[in-house]
Amino acid sequence: MPDDIKRPGDVEEFSGLNRLFKSKAVQYIINLIDDGTFRDFFADWKWIFSFSRKYKWVIAFYTVLGIVSSSLGLLSSVISKYLVDIIVDKETGMLWVLIVSMIGSTVFSLVFSSLVSRYSAKLSIYVNNDIQAYIFDKIIDADWYELSKFSNGDLLNRFNSDVSTIASNAVSWLPSIVIALYNFIATFCVLFYYDHAMAFIALLSAPFLLLASRFLMRKNKEYRMKVLQMNSSLMTFEAETFYNIDTIKSFGVTGHYSKGMRDWQEKYKKVNLDYNMFSIKAGIFNNLLATMVYVVAFCYCLFALWTERITYGTMTLFLTQRSQLSSSFSSLVSIIPGMLNSSVSAHRIRELVELPRENHLTKESEAMAKAAEQGFEVRMTGVDFSYVEGEQVISGSDFVARPNEIVALVGPTGEGKTTLIRLILGLIHPGCGEVTLVDSQGNQVEINADTRRYFSYVPQGNTMISGTVAENLRMVKEDATDEEIIEALKIACAWDFVSKKEGGINGKLGERGKGFSGGQAQRIAIARAVLRDAPVLLLDEATSDLDIETERQVLRNIIRQRPNKTCIVTTHRPSVLNLCQRVYRVVDTHVTQLTEEESARMVMDF
């Protein structure tokens, strides 16, 4: 073999303790172990443990309860051994004492087991709520663009299924290990006390299970990840289908989506059945191993009984506790799949937690509050932006909107109008240039997550939530009075139709504003922005479903409501351009201000 071809045992350097021994064989084994599986596993569990740490005293109490319950169960088995011997030998002197003791220990064991189960359920709920609240806050504060790379179905699956998996193990994993280890040691000691050989026979399965555990860990993690990814994909399909049910029905493509659902179900079935088959094979292996050990133990007990080395009671104890010893060891081993599942779920959640945070300039943004009554100027200078490197959306562009102005953004669909709105809101950030909020004194702050308090925003599309009209408006101002809500609806030209609905402002809206037309839902959304009464109002195609006269009336009402308000409108419709102080056009990545003649020509062309 040529010298430059490496064999499997060849290594480049020695690591860890092997730096002392410098053994290639040892290093080869270390390299096989250090393939990332255990490193990721410990990193994930370190993260999980940060949640359960706050419950350490309760977990300790839970562990003590488990140990006491196990001890009582073991004591009950020992008592039963003596009961069998007493009955076989017809020695009734201690019979009633032993019966009472066994009943007592059994009852106590049941009580303690119930307490353990109760505490486990409570702690799982507490930890689940803690993790969900923590993850929810992280998702809400994650960078918008990075978060948008995850589908809604995937986010929901991670937020619910993965968190539930972690919560069910975060509290119980340490007590389960301690209790199972205690059971294993205590049972081994009891068997060893009565018969050394029997104790070691019961341990026959241990080495094989340990050797198989690494393979099972790796394969279980692979299958678990595939199952979770498939669940996310299926949930995304379901969420998108139900969200767009009106469109699907309107196009008459329900059959296409029914077929799509069955295709996803087929994929889901295959992935889950593959996982199930792996679990079955692993279970068969473990059961065969347990059966072989049982046969050896049973034959040994028969031999010991035949040679009068043990009594019938001792044989009963051996067989039950041999099973208990194997069960304890299996419990220790079976903890691994549960911990692996939690590790996979934790890894998926950590991907959300570790997303970049939004840019916050809290102190600087709060300092602008004093000048809010005089209004703010929104200024963009030399801005470049691209979602994907090399594909410019905005290039070297300037923009300004001042208090008491309506400024329009026009241009073809997909040219960057909504991108400009996102830049103004601080959802995305320029690669070059700056976007700032400027007060009447010339003080300015870079647009960030904390400057959004100074904006009211009406996005494209239907943004209504299920509930009442009042609840939809109060989401931006919780303490708003009914009078304030009605006034906002009047400014948005929405009060006329809301007042005629049963219940008025307390009338119910269905999901996504069902019960109202598209134009009515838009006006309620505008009323919500008016109620917020922020210095800057952003309308992103927010009047597209209104007739021209209503559109103009709404904009006039908004300016009258607060003379110092800065209003920025994106539109395809030049019908409101004669209300605007300035008009900007977005074409070929450039934002340019139109002259009065160009604006007038657009209105005339329309």
Side-chain angles (χ1 to χ4, degrees):
M1 180 180 291
D3 293 338
D4 58 344
I5 297 179
K6 290 184 171 24
R7 292 177 293 272
D10 290 346
V11 295
E12 294 292 338
E13 58 182 334
F14 302 110
S15 61
L17 290 175
N18 197 37
R19 291 173 183 168
L20 298 175
F21 305 108
K22 296 185 177 181
S23 167
K24 288 188 176 182
V26 171
Q27 189 61 45
Y28 178 58
I29 295 172
I30 291 174
N31 291 343
L32 287 177
I33 294 174
D34 191 22
D35 61 357
T37 301
F38 288 107
R39 185 167 55 249
D40 291 343
F41 175 80
F42 288 125
D44 293 333
W45 266 96
K46 182 180 179 182
W47 181 82
I48 294 173
F49 188 66
S50 66
F51 289 98
S52 53
R53 191 178 300 150
K54 64 184 292 187
Y55 299 109
K56 57 186 177 183
W57 296 116
V58 184
I59 291 174
F61 181 58
Y62 169 60
T63 304
V64 171
L65 285 179
I67 290 174
V68 171
S69 177
S70 298
S71 299
L72 291 173
L74 187 58
L75 177 61
S76 178
S77 296
V78 173
I79 291 173
S80 67
K81 166 227 180 313
Y82 288 104
L83 274 175
V84 171
D85 286 339
I86 286 172
I87 291 173
V88 170
D89 296 335
K90 298 180 180 180
E91 296 177 0
T92 58
M94 297 290 293
L95 178 61
W96 295 110
V97 175
L98 290 172
I99 291 175
V100 170
S101 299
M102 187 175 72
I103 293 173
S105 65
T106 302
V107 170
F108 275 114
S109 179
L110 288 173
V111 170
F112 276 110
S113 296
S114 300
L115 286 174
V116 168
S117 177
R118 177 66 174 172
Y119 272 102
S120 178
K122 276 188 173 184
L123 288 172
S124 291
I125 292 172
Y126 293 155
V127 174
N128 184 83
N129 289 345
D130 270 358
I131 297 175
Q132 275 200 326
Y134 173 77
I135 301 303
F136 186 83
D137 290 342
K138 290 292 185 181
I139 292 174
I140 291 296
D141 193 45
D143 179 81
W144 175 85
Y145 181 62
E146 293 298 325
L147 187 63
S148 67
K149 297 176 182 178
F150 294 85
S151 66
N152 289 335
D154 189 25
L155 286 174
L156 286 171
N157 193 39
R158 293 177 192 234
F159 186 68
N160 292 293
S161 177
D162 288 323
V163 168
S164 178
T165 298
I166 291 170
S168 64
N169 284 286
V171 171
S172 62
W173 75 278
L174 183 58
S176 295
I177 290 175
V178 172
I179 293 169
L181 189 61
Y182 170 80
N183 269 335
F184 179 77
I185 295 173
T187 304
F188 180 80
C189 289
V190 169
L191 290 176
F192 191 82
Y193 174 78
Y194 288 103
D195 190 291
H196 299 354
M198 184 63 198
F200 287 107
I201 289 173
L203 280 176
L204 282 177
S205 60
F208 299 99
L209 288 174
L210 285 174
L211 288 173
S213 65
R214 177 174 168 77
F215 170 76
L216 295 175
M217 280 179 66
R218 185 176 66 254
K219 296 300 292 183
N220 189 84
K221 186 171 184 177
E222 291 173 1
Y223 279 115
R224 177 66 178 171
M225 183 64 78
K226 289 179 181 177
V227 168
L228 290 174
Q229 289 172 345
M230 180 54 63
N231 288 346
S232 293
S233 298
L234 181 58
M235 189 174 290
T236 297
F237 175 82
E238 294 167 347
E240 289 179 345
T241 299
F242 293 134
Y243 184 80
N244 295 294
I245 191 69
D246 292 351
T247 303
I248 292 169
K249 284 180 174 292
S250 299
F251 277 106
V253 292
T254 53
H256 170 76
Y257 277 83
S258 293
K259 180 180 180 299
M261 181 64 185
R262 283 158 179 77
D263 289 342
W264 278 111
Q265 285 180 323
E266 189 64 28
K267 295 175 185 176
Y268 178 86
K269 180 182 74 174
K270 183 180 184 309
V271 169
N272 279 273
L273 287 180
D274 286 346
Y275 189 20
N276 174 258
M277 181 56 68
F278 166 75
S279 300
I280 289 173
K281 289 177 179 177
I284 291 173
F285 170 77
N286 290 332
N287 287 333
L288 285 175
L289 192 59
T291 301
M292 290 171 58
V293 175
Y294 175 78
V295 169
V296 173
F298 186 71
C299 291
Y300 174 79
C301 285
L302 290 178
F303 171 76
L305 187 63
W306 179 266
T307 57
E308 298 183 350
R309 290 175 53 191
I310 61 173
T311 63
Y312 284 104
T314 305
M315 178 179 177
T316 303
L317 178 66
F318 279 176
L319 293 178
T320 57
Q321 291 310 300
R322 186 231 48 95
S323 176
Q324 181 63 32
L325 186 67
S326 295
S327 176
S328 298
F329 188 80
S330 295
S331 295
L332 283 170
V333 175
S334 66
I335 289 170
I336 294 174
M339 294 180 72
L340 277 172
N341 290 342
S342 292
S343 173
V344 173
S345 293
H347 191 79
R348 284 162 51 84
I349 291 177
R350 284 173 61 202
E351 288 180 345
L352 298 179
V353 173
E354 293 168 4
L355 288 175
R357 302 293 97 202
E358 290 210 276
N359 182 30
H360 289 273
L361 297 172
T362 305
K363 186 176 179 181
E364 296 87 338
S365 300
E366 287 179 350
M368 301 287 283
K370 300 173 185 176
E373 284 294 327
Q374 287 73 46
F376 293 119
E377 175 184 303
V378 177
R379 184 186 301 166
M380 300 174 60
T381 308
V383 168
D384 290 346
F385 178 80
S386 62
Y387 291 104
V388 180
E389 188 175 353
E391 298 180 13
Q392 208 73 10
V393 179
I394 303 294
S395 301
S397 298
D398 298 334
F399 172 87
V400 64
R402 300 186 179 93
N404 200 26
E405 288 185 343
I406 301 177
V407 177
L409 283 167
V410 298
T413 300
E415 288 291 334
K417 297 188 300 297
T418 298
T419 296
L420 280 175
I421 295 295
R422 290 171 181 162
L423 285 165
I424 291 170
L425 286 170
L427 294 172
I428 53 180
H429 307 285
C432 183
E434 59 180 6
V435 185
T436 56
L437 200 64
V438 186
D439 68 16
S440 57
Q441 303 300 315
N443 301 312
Q444 63 181 18
V445 62
E446 178 188 349
I447 293 291
N448 65 90
D450 295 310
T451 55
R452 289 182 205 137
R453 72 185 69 185
Y454 304 121
F455 290 83
S456 292
Y457 175 46
V458 185
Q460 297 181 31
N462 193 320
T463 58
M464 294 295 97
I465 59 174
S466 57
T468 66
V469 174
E471 287 170 346
N472 269 272
L473 268 66
R474 284 197 175 104
M475 67 182 288
V476 299
K477 188 178 181 181
E478 293 182 0
D479 59 351
T481 64
D482 288 354
E483 291 73 20
E484 288 175 318
I485 290 173
I486 292 171
E487 180 61 24
L489 290 168
K490 288 178 178 178
I491 291 171
C493 298
W495 175 240
D496 285 346
F497 63 83
V498 170
S499 63
K500 294 174 184 176
K501 286 281 187 181
E502 183 180 354
I505 63 172
N506 294 312
K508 292 287 185 180
L509 284 85
E511 188 178 8
R512 298 178 65 205
K514 287 182 179 177
F516 290 96
S517 69
Q520 289 174 335
Q522 269 197 345
R523 278 180 272 178
I524 294 174
I526 293 171
R528 182 168 58 196
V530 168
L531 181 65
R532 182 174 172 88
D533 196 24
V536 183
L537 176 64
L538 302 176
L539 301 175
D540 188 7
E541 300 286 355
T543 58
S544 59
D545 285 342
L546 307 184
D547 61 78
I548 294 173
E549 187 55 40
T550 302
E551 182 181 45
R552 289 175 175 173
Q553 187 60 50
V554 167
L555 291 175
R556 289 193 191 102
N557 289 347
I558 289 171
I559 291 299
R560 288 196 202 104
Q561 177 216 15
R562 187 169 183 173
N564 290 323
K565 191 179 293 291
T566 303
C567 186
I568 301 172
V569 182
T570 71
T571 181
H572 286 91
R573 298 165 56 176
S575 53
V576 297
L577 298 187
N578 54 11
L579 294 176
C580 301
Q581 281 64 42
R582 270 186 313 288
V583 178
Y584 289 87
R585 180 168 54 194
V586 187
V587 178
D588 295 331
T589 77
H590 292 285
V591 180
T592 56
Q593 183 178 345
L594 299 183
T595 64
E596 291 184 7
E597 292 77 11
E598 289 172 324
S599 298
R601 193 179 305 120
M602 288 188 69
V603 174
M604 292 298 294
D605 291 342
F606 178 75

